[in-house]
Structures are given as C-alpha cells and as structure tokens.
Amino acid sequence: MMRSLYSGVAGLKTHQTKMDVIGNNIANVNTIGFKSSSVLFRDVLYQTTSSATGATRDTGGTNAAQIGLGTKMSSIQTKMESGAAQSTNNPYDLMLDSSSFFVVGRGGTNYFTKVGNFEIDGAGCLVTSNGYQVMGWQVDPENPTQIKRDTVTALYPESAENKKSSPEQTTMMHMIGNIDMTDPDLTSTDGSVISVSIYDSLGYNYTVKYKITKDQTVADDSMYNLELVSIRDANNVEILGADDPTTTDVVEGGYTATMNGSTNPIKIKFDADNGKFVYAGTAGQKEALLEIKPMDPTKKGDVFTSVVNGETVDGITVDFSNLTMYEADGESSAKMIRGSVDKVGGGRAMGSLKNVNIDNSGKIYGVYSNGETKLLGQIAVANFTNPMALEAMGNSMYQATQNSGEFDGIGVAVDDDGGKITQGVLEMSNVDLSSEFTEMITTQRGFQANSRIITTSDTMLEELVNLKR
C-alpha cells in the first residue's frame, strides 16, 4: 500500500518539474534567440518480489515479479532549432543561420549566445545589450585586406582609429577619349581645355587644368601638345610659381610643377592613318610624370610626396595610351581621369565613418565618406559536438561543459560549414505555442492522475484502519 503513495508523490514531483519547464518556455515566447526545452521521464527502481526461474523437465519457467516505485526526471533537453527571423534594419542586429554560437567575453572568460542584438559602447567596442564583448579576429597588420585568424579578441569597429579614413595622395591619372582632328579649339591659343581633380597627401583637393593644341611643327594631324596650365586648391588659389618660396602653407604658393622634369608641353604622337596612340613625350613611352615640388628644397610640407607600400612616391604618373585621334563631330572628347585604368592610385580626402556593413561570413567593413571601404575585423563563431549539453547561464548566455565539447579559443568562420550571418535581422524564440499548450494539457492530466493515486491509496488505508471497528 505504501508503495503506491510514494509512486504518486514521485509522479507529482516529475510533472511539476515538467510544468515548470513549460511555463518557462511560454514565458519566453517573445525572447530573442530563446531556445525551448523539453522534459523526459524514466522509471526508477523496481522491487523484485520473486525472481525468474528457468524451465526444467518437470516444470515450466516463471517470470520475475517486480513492482515499480514510480518515475523520475530523465533529462531536460534544449531544442537548438532556429527560430523565425525578424527584420530590424539595425546594422548591428545579426542572425546566425547555422548551428554555431556567437562568442562573447567578459573578464577573460568566453561565453556563447545565439542572440545577436549587439550595440557599440563608448570605446567603439561591439557588445551585447548586457555589456559582454563580442569576440572575433583582427585585421592582419601586414596585410590590411586580410583577416588574421588567431585567438579571439574583442572587436572595435567604431574605435577612434576606425572612425577616420586616412587621406591618400593621387599617384596616377589616365586620359581617355578622342582628340578630334577637326576640332577648331585645337588651333586656338586657349586650345581644348580639360581639367581633373587630385588630392595631396593631406587629403586636400586641387584642380589641375591642361590644354591640348595641335603641334604646328608637323605637316599632318599626327602630333598634339598637352600643356599644364594651372593647379589650384579648393579655394581657387593658384599654387604654382608664387613669389614667396618661404611659406609653409601649400595654398599660399611656393610650388612649381613639371611634366617629365620640364615645363614644356608633352608631345602626343598618333598614327596618322588609323588614329591610334603611338607615344607620349618620346618614342616608346606611354606615360609622363607630373611632379609638384616646393621651389625651396628645404621647405617643409612637401604634400605631393607620399609613401605607398613602403616606397616613397613623388609625383603623379599620367597614362596616355587610351587616347585616339580621328575625325568625329568636330569636338574633342578627351578627358583626364584621376586614378589608373584599373582604378588604383586615385587618392582621396580625409574621410569619416558613415556605415558599417557585415557580410555573410561575419567580416566587418567600414564605409567612409571619402569612398573608401576598409576591413575592420571578422566575427568568429563557436561550434560544439553536443550543443544541447551547453549550460545555460541566464541572460541568453551559455558556457561549455565536459559533455558539450571545449572551445579552442580561436573559433571558426560561420561560412566554414555552410552557415551565414545576416545583418539587420534577429532570430526570434523557437517556442511552438501549440506544442507547449498540448504538453501543458497532458502534464496537467498526468499531475491530476498521480494525485488520484495518493487519495485512492489514502482511502484504502482508511478502510484498513476501519476494519477494527
């Protein structure tokens, strides 16, 4: 009689635990990144009143007689299936389409989470809403376009250093288009005028003005002169040939400019028969060098000299090989473009951070007002052999256990196993209300049935006591 009482008590306890888990699931139905749990039961110790016997020649075998002593909780399993996606358009809201976890840290200890509603703290560090630092890999200092996969560290996409994009001097230009041999401007004093903007090493902008005229020293239309007319800063102050060579401010003058070391025009030669470019300056050359130098060699602030990839660059290389010369509509279309044909060496002004983009692999890119896009780091993720064995710490955080597998401190890229990170989206809870309410009904009935075991056993005990009356 007493066994059934204790079996009922055991049933009540286990169903109460299951109801606690169901309640927690339902309470977190709108919690970002929440993973629901389920409870499994198992039976407990059996009391054997008679053991099984084997068959003999004279008698048959008998089964064991065992009385069960109730139930107990087998396990609480966390369901790691992904929840639905919710668009937020916040650049630091991220969703993992993967079985991986974000790695976050505090006080030198790494934790793991599925919740990607991140933000920026006062130091420019990427953090969770409760201040845990988001961990990842830094940019390789020897190659700023690559990530160095090393021990994960905190990411600072909006640090003071990343808030600005350094200026870059223009080191290359090229000309494209056609010099129309019938263009009347080519025989005028002013010539056919073209302009291009350039940047110095401090990021200040200048306008360089050239003119193209027909060379009168040849009888045909195969030779033209490119002459540098002026260079002015953004305030339209001419910087060439100033009388005061002692000033330290470039916009006040004191600089001279040369093409191939001379103030003479560059001669551009074409094939008179087909109009194709032949050379610029001298035979076999397709480029010329525009140099802007202080009139006083000891003058400080040579802003048209810079260091590119560890090498000092003086001047701007101008490529003429894409020009043509033929008769068109009487108007030349030749123009000068900053940068090379493959869009390098164009230079830029000082820039400020405008946007942050995070691609599907977790790489963080800064987009700046001067047009530069710079790699700022990469978010690393963690994979576990048995993610259901992670221990929940609260605040949507988990930590590794002996049964989940260890984190190696380096992590992996989310796309290494085909996953991805989506920017501007959050993962919602994976709680299925229909399943939870169904489980609630069965749990309620299970609890009710176990309570009946106790009351019925009590009634039977009462009848036993009443036998004496």
Side-chain angles (χ1 to χ4, degrees), residues 2-310:
M2 297 300 293
R3 296 191 192 96
S4 62
L5 283 171
Y6 286 106
S7 293
V9 171
L12 291 177
K13 289 181 178 180
T14 52
H15 282 81
Q16 180 61 59
T17 300
K18 185 172 183 179
M19 183 59 72
D20 291 339
V21 173
I22 293 171
N24 183 61
N25 290 341
I26 295 175
N28 286 282
V29 67
N30 288 318
T31 301
I32 297 170
F34 177 78
K35 301 303 178 186
S36 62
S37 300
S38 62
V39 179
L40 299 178
F41 297 161
R42 63 181 175 89
D43 54 2
V44 293
L45 181 68
Y46 283 83
Q47 182 177 356
T48 302
T49 58
S50 64
S51 300
T53 61
T56 67
R57 178 178 298 181
D58 299 324
T59 61
T62 60
N63 296 329
Q66 293 181 294
I67 302 173
L69 300 180
T71 184
K72 66 186 297 186
M73 185 181 67
S74 173
S75 66
I76 299 177
Q77 295 183 343
T78 302
K79 301 175 183 178
M80 288 298 177
E81 293 86 356
S82 297
Q86 178 183 1
S87 177
T88 66
N89 296 319
N90 185 331
Y92 291 118
D93 282 346
L94 306 175
M95 176 178 172
L96 276 173
D97 185 7
S98 166
S99 59
S100 305
F101 292 79
F102 293 112
V103 184
V104 297
R106 171 177 283 183
T109 302
N110 290 323
Y111 301 94
F112 312 96
T113 184
K114 282 284 190 178
V115 180
N117 60 324
F118 302 137
E119 54 193 48
I120 296 296
D121 68 8
C125 183
L126 189 62
V127 297
T128 66
S129 58
N130 48 4
Y132 288 73
Q133 295 176 319
V134 180
M135 311 299 278
W137 303 310
Q138 307 302 325
V139 176
D140 188 342
E142 297 181 359
N143 187 353
T145 63
Q146 298 294 324
I147 292 294
K148 185 177 182 180
R149 293 196 180 191
D150 204 345
T151 303
V152 293
T153 54
L155 295 168
Y156 288 82
E158 293 196 25
S159 63
E161 177 184 359
N162 290 334
K163 280 286 190 179
K164 297 293 182 182
S165 170
S166 59
E168 188 176 278
Q169 178 194 329
T170 300
T171 58
M172 304 188 77
M173 295 190 295
H174 69 282
M175 288 190 72
I176 61 171
N178 180 61
I179 297 177
D180 191 330
M181 63 177 70
T182 62
D183 187 349
D185 289 337
L186 297 174
T187 57
S188 68
T189 303
D190 294 332
S192 177
V193 177
I194 57 176
S195 298
V196 63
S197 66
I198 63 171
Y199 292 98
D200 67 13
S201 60
L202 300 179
Y204 292 105
N205 185 242
Y206 303 83
T207 300
V208 182
K209 182 178 179 182
Y210 297 91
K211 70 176 180 179
I212 304 174
T213 56
K214 185 180 182 303
D215 193 306
Q216 302 298 327
T217 62
V218 295
D220 57 24
D221 296 313
S222 64
M223 187 76 77
Y224 294 84
N225 296 323
L226 179 78
E227 182 179 353
L228 178 62
V229 177
S230 66
I231 300 181
R232 296 176 180 271
D233 76 341
N235 296 316
N236 203 32
V237 176
E238 189 166 356
I239 71 167
L240 299 181
D243 295 330
D244 180 10
T246 61
T247 178
T248 59
D249 190 350
V250 67
V251 299
E252 295 180 6
Y255 279 73
T256 59
T258 59
M259 295 286 288
N260 282 348
S262 172
T263 57
N264 297 325
I266 292 291
K267 293 184 180 296
I268 306 175
K269 174 70 175 177
F270 297 92
D271 189 314
D273 295 328
N274 56 30
K276 292 184 178 180
F277 171 81
V278 178
Y279 66 81
T282 58
Q285 297 295 315
K286 68 173 187 177
E287 299 174 340
L289 184 64
L290 168 62
E291 291 186 290
I292 306 171
K293 291 291 186 181
M295 295 174 66
D296 181 357
T298 64
K299 178 179 178 179
K300 296 180 180 179
D302 187 355
V303 293
F304 292 99
T305 298
S306 61
V307 178
V308 179
N309 295 327

Side-chain angles (χ1 to χ4, degrees), residues 415-463:
D415 57 347
D416 285 353
D417 61 354
K420 67 178 182 178
I421 291 176
T422 305
Q423 185 179 22
V425 176
L426 287 176
E427 179 184 355
M428 300 303 293
S429 169
N430 69 351
V431 174
D432 183 350
L433 281 178
S434 60
S435 296
E436 296 301 327
F437 281 125
T438 301
E439 289 293 320
M440 184 186 296
I441 292 171
T442 60
T443 303
Q444 179 186 8
R445 291 307 181 193
F447 186 91
Q448 187 178 35
N450 278 275
S451 67
R452 291 295 185 190
I453 293 174
I454 297 174
T455 57
T456 302
S457 298
D458 178 58
T459 301
M460 295 175 68
L461 285 172
E462 183 180 4
E463 290 294 330

